[in-house]
Amino acid sequence: VQLQASGGGLVQAGDSLRLSCAASGRTSSKYAIGWFRQAPGTEREFVATISWSGSSTYYADSVKGRFTLSRDSTKDTVYLQMNSLKPEDTAVYYCAAVYTAYYYRGNDYDYWGQGTLVTVSS
């Protein structure tokens, strides 16, 4: 599966932003989507994951209650709604896929998108 992340930009603290992850290729097989982020000088960090059906999600504690995942299977697209953004959310955000029906909390996803930059100013 190929992934295209989009929707990043420059916002102020407290604003909202919605990222999209569009999948193409072998999308008929069941796959989970995960979001990760990497700020300059730091390691890549897990953000959230959603199951194939979209019915199950899991969030890192740092974003729980502020970020929400959803999935539109008709468009093979996953959305990451980010509310109440903070300067510490500034990072390049990546979406990734692994062929499983369940959400996946690991870091060893098989397919990765190119990343989209989110910058939150104070």
Side-chain angles (χ1 to χ4, degrees):
V1 64
Q2 291 81 47
L3 303 173
Q4 179 75 36
S6 62
L10 173 62
V11 298
Q12 293 186 332
D15 285 351
S16 298
L17 205 58
R18 189 179 77 162
L19 304 184
S20 299
C21 177
S24 61
R26 202 181 111 195
T27 59
S28 58
S29 297
K30 297 178 180 180
Y31 59 94
I33 290 290
W35 282 93
F36 295 79
R37 65 187 182 186
Q38 187 168 21
T42 70
E43 293 188 353
R44 187 172 60 200
E45 170 190 25
F46 168 82
V47 174
T49 177
I50 188 166
S51 63
W52 163 251
S53 68
S55 62
S56 297
T57 55
Y58 182 84
Y59 300 91
D61 288 343
S62 57
V63 306
K64 197 174 298 181
R66 299 188 298 121
F67 290 12
T68 303
L69 277 169
S70 61
R71 189 163 191 156
D72 185 343
S73 59
T74 65
K75 299 180 179 179
D76 291 322
T77 300
V78 168
Y79 302 100
L80 180 66
Q81 178 67 42
M82 306 186 295
N83 298 331
S84 302
L85 282 163
K86 305 175 181 180
E88 51 263 45
D89 293 319
T90 295
V92 176
Y93 284 71
Y94 300 89
C95 61
V98 60
Y99 284 112
T100 177
Y102 307 101
Y103 68 61
Y104 187 68
R105 294 170 54 183
N107 293 328
D108 54 334
Y109 280 66
D110 295 320
Y111 304 94
W112 292 82
Q114 85 291 356
T116 184
L117 176 63
V118 173
T119 304
V120 185
S121 64
S122 58

